[in-house]
Tab-separated table of all heavy atoms in Angstrom:
chain	number	residue	atom	x	y	z
X	1	GLU	N	29.571	81.909	85.923
X	1	GLU	CA	29.055	83.069	85.202
X	1	GLU	C	27.800	83.641	85.852
X	1	GLU	O	27.571	84.845	85.823
X	1	GLU	CB	28.766	82.693	83.745
X	1	GLU	CG	30.015	82.409	82.924
X	1	GLU	CD	30.987	83.574	82.910
X	1	GLU	OE1	30.539	84.739	82.825
X	1	GLU	OE2	32.204	83.333	83.002
X	2	THR	N	26.968	82.785	86.449
X	2	THR	CA	25.710	83.265	87.023
X	2	THR	C	25.849	83.748	88.463
X	2	THR	O	24.901	84.287	89.028
X	2	THR	CB	24.642	82.147	86.993
X	2	THR	OG1	25.144	80.985	87.666
X	2	THR	CG2	24.286	81.783	85.562
X	3	THR	N	27.008	83.582	89.060
X	3	THR	CA	27.210	84.016	90.453
X	3	THR	C	28.273	85.104	90.566
X	3	THR	O	28.837	85.315	91.645
X	3	THR	CB	27.610	82.826	91.345
X	3	THR	OG1	28.748	82.158	90.784
X	3	THR	CG2	26.462	81.842	91.481
X	4	ASN	N	28.566	85.777	89.453
X	4	ASN	CA	29.546	86.873	89.455
X	4	ASN	C	30.907	86.441	89.985
X	4	ASN	O	31.547	87.148	90.755
X	4	ASN	CB	29.023	88.060	90.281
X	4	ASN	CG	27.836	88.729	89.638
X	4	ASN	OD1	27.670	88.666	88.416
X	4	ASN	ND2	26.990	89.356	90.432
X	5	MET	N	31.345	85.252	89.583
X	5	MET	CA	32.672	84.768	89.950
X	5	MET	C	33.584	84.666	88.731
X	5	MET	O	34.684	84.127	88.814
X	5	MET	CB	32.575	83.404	90.639
X	5	MET	CG	31.873	83.445	91.988
X	5	MET	SD	31.596	81.808	92.686
X	5	MET	CE	33.275	81.225	92.936
X	6	GLY	N	33.109	85.173	87.585
X	6	GLY	CA	33.929	85.162	86.392
X	6	GLY	C	35.015	86.217	86.433
X	6	GLY	O	35.084	87.048	87.354
X	7	ALA	N	35.880	86.212	85.420
X	7	ALA	CA	37.034	87.109	85.403
X	7	ALA	C	36.605	88.570	85.436
X	7	ALA	O	37.191	89.389	86.150
X	7	ALA	CB	37.885	86.820	84.163
X	8	SER	N	35.570	88.920	84.691
X	8	SER	CA	35.119	90.311	84.634
X	8	SER	C	34.596	90.786	85.987
X	8	SER	O	34.952	91.872	86.458
X	8	SER	CB	34.019	90.452	83.573
X	8	SER	OG	33.494	91.756	83.556
X	9	ALA	N	33.759	89.960	86.628
X	9	ALA	CA	33.175	90.349	87.921
X	9	ALA	C	34.248	90.441	89.001
X	9	ALA	O	34.233	91.356	89.831
X	9	ALA	CB	32.098	89.346	88.325
X	10	VAL	N	35.204	89.501	89.014
X	10	VAL	CA	36.265	89.522	90.025
X	10	VAL	C	37.166	90.732	89.822
X	10	VAL	O	37.610	91.364	90.795
X	10	VAL	CB	37.083	88.208	89.981
X	10	VAL	CG1	38.302	88.295	90.894
X	10	VAL	CG2	36.215	87.030	90.401
X	11	ALA	N	37.444	91.080	88.557
X	11	ALA	CA	38.278	92.256	88.270
X	11	ALA	C	37.625	93.524	88.822
X	11	ALA	O	38.284	94.368	89.439
X	11	ALA	CB	38.511	92.379	86.770
X	12	LYS	N	36.301	93.658	88.628
X	12	LYS	CA	35.593	94.827	89.159
X	12	LYS	C	35.579	94.820	90.686
X	12	LYS	O	35.683	95.873	91.324
X	12	LYS	CB	34.162	94.847	88.630
X	12	LYS	CG	34.071	95.114	87.126
X	12	LYS	CD	32.633	95.056	86.638
X	12	LYS	CE	32.557	95.300	85.136
X	12	LYS	NZ	31.163	95.172	84.628
X	13	GLN	N	35.458	93.630	91.274
X	13	GLN	CA	35.447	93.520	92.733
X	13	GLN	C	36.787	93.962	93.321
X	13	GLN	O	36.837	94.708	94.308
X	13	GLN	CB	35.137	92.079	93.147
X	13	GLN	CG	35.099	91.869	94.660
X	13	GLN	CD	34.913	90.409	95.028
X	13	GLN	OE1	34.869	89.550	94.166
X	13	GLN	NE2	34.836	90.130	96.313
X	14	ILE	N	37.887	93.507	92.713
X	14	ILE	CA	39.221	93.874	93.210
X	14	ILE	C	39.439	95.378	93.057
X	14	ILE	O	39.950	96.047	93.965
X	14	ILE	CB	40.309	93.084	92.454
X	14	ILE	CG1	40.218	91.594	92.810
X	14	ILE	CG2	41.700	93.616	92.801
X	14	ILE	CD1	41.186	90.716	92.027
X	15	GLN	N	39.035	95.933	91.911
X	15	GLN	CA	39.242	97.367	91.687
X	15	GLN	C	38.393	98.203	92.644
X	15	GLN	O	38.852	99.225	93.167
X	15	GLN	CB	38.911	97.728	90.248
X	15	GLN	CG	39.267	99.177	89.909
X	15	GLN	CD	38.809	99.572	88.532
X	15	GLN	OE1	37.732	99.178	88.110
X	15	GLN	NE2	39.631	100.344	87.823
X	16	SER	N	37.152	97.790	92.890
X	16	SER	CA	36.279	98.573	93.775
X	16	SER	C	36.787	98.586	95.211
X	16	SER	O	36.447	99.482	95.984
X	16	SER	CB	34.857	97.998	93.743
X	16	SER	OG	34.831	96.682	94.276
X	17	SER	N	37.604	97.598	95.569
X	17	SER	CA	38.169	97.559	96.918
X	17	SER	C	39.434	98.405	97.031
X	17	SER	O	40.061	98.463	98.095
X	17	SER	CB	38.467	96.113	97.325
X	17	SER	OG	39.479	95.569	96.500
X	18	GLY	N	39.853	99.046	95.916
X	18	GLY	CA	41.041	99.887	95.935
X	18	GLY	C	42.328	99.139	95.700
X	18	GLY	O	43.416	99.697	95.895
X	19	MET	N	42.231	97.870	95.270
X	19	MET	CA	43.433	97.050	95.059
X	19	MET	C	43.711	96.934	93.565
X	19	MET	O	42.839	97.172	92.721
X	19	MET	CB	43.236	95.658	95.670
X	19	MET	CG	42.797	95.664	97.126
X	19	MET	SD	43.989	96.402	98.266
X	19	MET	CE	45.215	95.098	98.353
X	20	GLN	N	44.960	96.534	93.246
X	20	GLN	CA	45.350	96.302	91.866
X	20	GLN	C	46.469	95.276	91.849
X	20	GLN	O	47.077	94.971	92.877
X	20	GLN	CB	45.828	97.588	91.202
X	20	GLN	CG	47.108	98.152	91.816
X	20	GLN	CD	47.536	99.441	91.137
X	20	GLN	OE1	46.716	100.330	90.943
X	20	GLN	NE2	48.812	99.535	90.780
X	21	ILE	N	46.702	94.706	90.649
X	21	ILE	CA	47.787	93.734	90.502
X	21	ILE	C	49.061	94.501	90.183
X	21	ILE	O	49.109	95.266	89.207
X	21	ILE	CB	47.464	92.722	89.384
X	21	ILE	CG1	46.179	91.959	89.723
X	21	ILE	CG2	48.626	91.755	89.184
X	21	ILE	CD1	45.752	90.987	88.660
X	22	PRO	N	50.116	94.357	90.996
X	22	PRO	CA	51.358	95.110	90.767
X	22	PRO	C	51.936	94.832	89.381
X	22	PRO	O	51.928	93.699	88.904
X	22	PRO	CB	52.290	94.583	91.864
X	22	PRO	CG	51.388	94.034	92.911
X	22	PRO	CD	50.205	93.493	92.188
X	23	GLY	N	52.430	95.906	88.737
X	23	GLY	CA	53.037	95.764	87.423
X	23	GLY	C	52.066	95.936	86.274
X	23	GLY	O	52.464	95.877	85.107
X	24	PHE	N	50.777	96.131	86.580
X	24	PHE	CA	49.767	96.311	85.533
X	24	PHE	C	49.016	97.614	85.778
X	24	PHE	O	48.877	98.063	86.917
X	24	PHE	CB	48.779	95.144	85.510
X	24	PHE	CG	49.389	93.834	85.113
X	24	PHE	CD1	49.933	92.980	86.076
X	24	PHE	CD2	49.438	93.449	83.779
X	24	PHE	CE1	50.494	91.771	85.718
X	24	PHE	CE2	49.999	92.236	83.415
X	24	PHE	CZ	50.529	91.398	84.382
X	25	ARG	N	48.527	98.211	84.661
X	25	ARG	CA	47.745	99.428	84.792
X	25	ARG	C	46.460	99.164	85.563
X	25	ARG	O	45.885	98.076	85.482
X	25	ARG	CB	47.406	99.987	83.404
X	25	ARG	CG	48.588	100.597	82.693
X	25	ARG	CD	48.172	101.306	81.411
X	25	ARG	NE	47.602	100.402	80.426
X	25	ARG	CZ	46.335	100.401	80.046
X	25	ARG	NH1	45.483	101.272	80.584
X	25	ARG	NH2	45.900	99.562	79.141
X	26	ARG	N	45.994	100.178	86.297
X	26	ARG	CA	44.755	100.034	87.068
X	26	ARG	C	43.573	100.225	86.125
X	26	ARG	O	42.958	101.274	86.057
X	26	ARG	CB	44.711	101.047	88.222
X	26	ARG	CG	43.578	100.761	89.194
X	26	ARG	CD	43.586	101.727	90.349
X	26	ARG	NE	42.488	101.423	91.260
X	26	ARG	CZ	41.235	101.890	91.127
X	26	ARG	NH1	40.969	102.712	90.131
X	26	ARG	NH2	40.294	101.550	91.985
X	27	ASP	N	43.309	99.175	85.389
X	27	ASP	CA	42.232	99.183	84.407
X	27	ASP	C	41.516	97.832	84.513
X	27	ASP	O	42.162	96.778	84.431
X	27	ASP	CB	42.798	99.366	83.000
X	27	ASP	CG	41.711	99.548	81.947
X	27	ASP	OD1	40.590	99.043	82.161
X	27	ASP	OD2	41.984	100.172	80.911
X	28	PRO	N	40.184	97.830	84.698
X	28	PRO	CA	39.466	96.550	84.836
X	28	PRO	C	39.684	95.607	83.660
X	28	PRO	O	39.746	94.390	83.845
X	28	PRO	CB	37.994	96.977	84.935
X	28	PRO	CG	38.027	98.382	85.395
X	28	PRO	CD	39.276	98.981	84.841
X	29	ARG	N	39.854	96.166	82.455
X	29	ARG	CA	40.047	95.311	81.285
X	29	ARG	C	41.397	94.612	81.335
X	29	ARG	O	41.518	93.440	80.953
X	29	ARG	CB	39.921	96.153	80.012
X	29	ARG	CG	38.498	96.668	79.753
X	29	ARG	CD	38.475	97.653	78.617
X	29	ARG	NE	39.261	98.847	78.938
X	29	ARG	CZ	39.427	99.872	78.102
X	29	ARG	NH1	38.871	99.841	76.911
X	29	ARG	NH2	40.141	100.922	78.472
X	30	VAL	N	42.418	95.330	81.823
X	30	VAL	CA	43.746	94.716	81.956
X	30	VAL	C	43.706	93.635	83.029
X	30	VAL	O	44.215	92.522	82.847
X	30	VAL	CB	44.797	95.788	82.319
X	30	VAL	CG1	46.146	95.127	82.599
X	30	VAL	CG2	44.921	96.817	81.207
X	31	MET	N	43.080	93.958	84.163
X	31	MET	CA	42.968	92.984	85.247
X	31	MET	C	42.154	91.772	84.808
X	31	MET	O	42.451	90.626	85.177
X	31	MET	CB	42.325	93.649	86.464
X	31	MET	CG	42.540	92.897	87.764
X	31	MET	SD	41.862	93.804	89.164
X	31	MET	CE	42.797	95.340	89.098
X	32	GLU	N	41.129	92.014	83.991
X	32	GLU	CA	40.298	90.913	83.495
X	32	GLU	C	41.120	89.977	82.609
X	32	GLU	O	40.970	88.748	82.685
X	32	GLU	CB	39.108	91.472	82.709
X	32	GLU	CG	38.164	90.403	82.196
X	32	GLU	CD	36.993	91.002	81.428
X	32	GLU	OE1	36.784	92.231	81.504
X	32	GLU	OE2	36.286	90.229	80.742
X	33	ARG	N	42.008	90.544	81.758
X	33	ARG	CA	42.845	89.700	80.899
X	33	ARG	C	43.779	88.838	81.717
X	33	ARG	O	44.026	87.672	81.378
X	33	ARG	CB	43.641	90.580	79.928
X	33	ARG	CG	42.821	91.123	78.768
X	33	ARG	CD	43.717	91.567	77.627
X	33	ARG	NE	44.580	92.676	78.012
X	33	ARG	CZ	44.264	93.957	77.892
X	33	ARG	NH1	43.085	94.300	77.392
X	33	ARG	NH2	45.101	94.907	78.259
X	34	VAL	N	44.299	89.398	82.818
X	34	VAL	CA	45.176	88.610	83.695
X	34	VAL	C	44.392	87.470	84.348
X	34	VAL	O	44.843	86.318	84.386
X	34	VAL	CB	45.808	89.512	84.778
X	34	VAL	CG1	46.620	88.672	85.769
X	34	VAL	CG2	46.690	90.580	84.148
X	35	LEU	N	43.191	87.781	84.847
X	35	LEU	CA	42.382	86.770	85.535
X	35	LEU	C	41.891	85.690	84.576
X	35	LEU	O	41.666	84.543	84.999
X	35	LEU	CB	41.193	87.439	86.224
X	35	LEU	CG	41.547	88.326	87.432
X	35	LEU	CD1	40.324	89.102	87.894
X	35	LEU	CD2	42.109	87.485	88.575
X	36	LYS	N	41.713	86.037	83.282
X	36	LYS	CA	41.258	85.048	82.311
X	36	LYS	C	42.296	83.964	82.051
X	36	LYS	O	41.975	82.917	81.485
X	36	LYS	CB	40.872	85.734	80.993
X	36	LYS	CG	39.473	86.334	81.017
X	36	LYS	CD	39.076	86.892	79.662
X	36	LYS	CE	37.631	87.387	79.685
X	36	LYS	NZ	37.220	87.964	78.392
X	37	LYS	N	43.539	84.221	82.447
X	37	LYS	CA	44.569	83.190	82.327
X	37	LYS	C	44.386	82.106	83.390
X	37	LYS	O	44.909	81.000	83.247
X	37	LYS	CB	45.958	83.811	82.468
X	37	LYS	CG	46.322	84.804	81.369
X	37	LYS	CD	47.714	85.395	81.621
X	37	LYS	CE	48.080	86.408	80.541
X	37	LYS	NZ	49.417	87.015	80.802
X	38	TYR	N	43.675	82.433	84.466
X	38	TYR	CA	43.550	81.508	85.600
X	38	TYR	C	42.116	81.000	85.793
X	38	TYR	O	41.904	79.781	85.930
X	38	TYR	CB	44.010	82.198	86.888
X	38	TYR	CG	45.435	82.666	86.871
X	38	TYR	CD1	45.767	83.971	86.525
X	38	TYR	CD2	46.468	81.793	87.196
X	38	TYR	CE1	47.086	84.407	86.502
X	38	TYR	CE2	47.797	82.216	87.175
X	38	TYR	CZ	48.095	83.518	86.832
X	38	TYR	OH	49.402	83.933	86.821
């Protein structure tokens, strides 16, 4: 949490690089929910 490696920070990092998870809307909140599973 203190090094920006949590689900929210990683979701923003992936989106800012122009990438997205196939099959999901390009929304940081959606990507964050997917990453919270892992």
